[in-house]
Amino acid sequence: HRCSIAGMDDYLNKPVKEAQIEDMLAKWTGSRDKFLLGKKILVAEDSQVNQMIITAILESFGCVVDLAVDGLEAVSKATHHKYDAILMDFNLPKLSGLDAIKIIREGETKNIGTPIVTITATDADEVKKEIANNPQNINDFLMKPINKEQVFQVLRSIIYMA
């Protein structure tokens, strides 16, 4: 193959996307988590167990995690702080995740264009319908129970392939 004859170990086809560069760097350095290092993520989740799991996953990637326990707190934090991504439970107390997302997208927050991923245990059809009807509101979703690989793939797609 021409690359090895020319002395090249690898190649990328144009146009090159940032995620492709990250994948290649990961292939050669053995680490694919570094692109999330220092990314600030708002996690809106009312379950303490899920908060611990999500926080542990994100911190293993080097993310800075800010927690909100209900929809009102999520909107408040999104109003005052800029995030690289927001993970929002679909069913939150005080203000649903969906209503919180609409306020964040339409209100005077610092995160109108920030990628938002909803997290749900049972409402996949409702989330898919909401994404289809209002693609500007929700970028993607995760089904509970979540795992490290799911979170990595979704964050990579929403942060770097948008």
Side-chain angles (χ1 to χ4, degrees):
H1 151 285
R2 275 196 273 180
C3 288
S4 56
I5 294 170
M8 291 184 279
D9 293 314
D10 221 330
Y11 66 94
L12 293 170
N13 291 318
K14 291 181 181 179
V16 178
K17 292 189 175 189
E18 194 164 351
Q20 292 173 298
I21 295 170
E22 292 292 339
D23 286 344
M24 184 168 287
L25 288 172
K27 177 179 168 183
W28 291 102
T29 64
S31 174
R32 48 185 226 150
D33 301 347
K34 298 300 181 207
F35 81 92
L36 291 172
L37 189 63
K39 297 292 184 194
K40 192 169 182 184
I41 313 290
L42 173 61
V43 175
E45 171 63 63
D46 58 319
S47 161
Q48 286 185 332
V49 171
N50 289 332
Q51 286 174 2
M52 289 188 304
I53 292 168
I54 296 166
T55 298
I57 290 171
L58 292 173
E59 287 179 349
S60 77
F61 297 141
C63 296
V64 177
V65 178
D66 193 6
L67 290 173
V69 297
D70 60 55
L72 290 176
E73 186 178 12
V75 170
S76 176
K77 288 186 176 213
T79 300
H80 297 98
H81 307 283
K82 177 69 178 126
Y83 298 97
D84 295 296
I86 298 171
L87 302 183
M88 180 85 64
D89 186 8
F90 200 69
N91 294 304
L92 287 170
K94 297 187 182 177
L95 183 67
S96 76
L98 186 57
D99 288 338
I101 289 168
K102 288 177 181 176
I103 292 170
I104 290 168
R105 291 293 193 223
E106 298 166 4
E108 293 185 21
T109 73
K110 296 184 178 206
N111 295 280
I112 291 173
T114 299
I116 298 177
V117 175
T118 60
I119 305 168
T120 185
T122 58
D123 302 316
D125 291 337
E126 190 175 346
V127 173
K128 287 177 187 176
K129 181 179 172 187
E130 182 60 32
I131 292 172
N133 293 336
N134 298 293
Q136 72 282 5
N137 285 347
I138 301 171
N139 298 82
D140 209 337
F141 72 98
L142 291 165
M143 288 296 299
K144 293 178 186 175
I146 65 168
N147 64 52
K148 188 173 181 176
E149 183 63 22
Q150 282 179 303
V151 175
F152 178 83
Q153 293 299 334
V154 166
L155 288 178
R156 182 177 73 166
S157 73
I158 65 167
I159 292 175
Y160 287 105
M161 298 177 86

